[in-house]
Amino acid sequence: MTFALLALLVVALVGAAPTVIRLLGNPAAGDPVVGTDAITVQNDAFDPPVIQIKPGTTVTWTFNDGDRAHNVVADGWSSEVLASGSYQHTFAEPGSYAYRCTLHMGMDGRVDVATTQ
């Protein structure tokens, strides 16, 4: 009986995880940090989660989360799964580019490319 209750509790907690993450808010919905082109990937987060750059800027994601692997995935571009090292992408056109780690729900970021800063 105790095992059945424990199993039920685990199932309930796993099922509730997406709802809890949505209630915590999306880090990629915040205001951008202006003046940086570097994003650190650690503690299951992109830091800063939102940046604003000029067209033609190359952004570097540095993976620094121990043995925990992550990736950077957006529409039209993506990194490999990495536990260390870095990934770069150049943003040529103005716009707002949302990205995520497909391995960890709720790990989201955004690059805003603006003609003025």
Side-chain angles (χ1 to χ4, degrees), residues 6-92:
L6 182 59
L8 182 62
L9 178 62
V10 169
V11 169
L13 289 174
V14 169
T19 301
V20 171
I21 290 170
R22 277 193 295 275
L23 290 175
L24 293 175
N26 183 349
D31 293 329
V33 173
V34 179
T36 187
D37 58 6
I39 299 170
T40 302
V41 184
Q42 70 182 35
N43 300 321
D44 287 341
F46 297 110
D47 184 29
V50 183
I51 64 171
Q52 181 178 317
I53 59 172
K54 294 179 182 177
T57 301
T58 299
V59 174
T60 301
W61 287 262
T62 302
F63 294 78
N64 188 19
D65 210 1
D67 292 335
R68 192 151 169 93
H70 300 284
N71 61 11
V72 178
V73 177
D75 292 337
W77 52 272
S78 64
S79 74
E80 297 179 33
V81 174
L82 299 169
S84 63
S86 63
Y87 169 73
Q88 294 183 322
H89 182 78
T90 301
F91 293 85

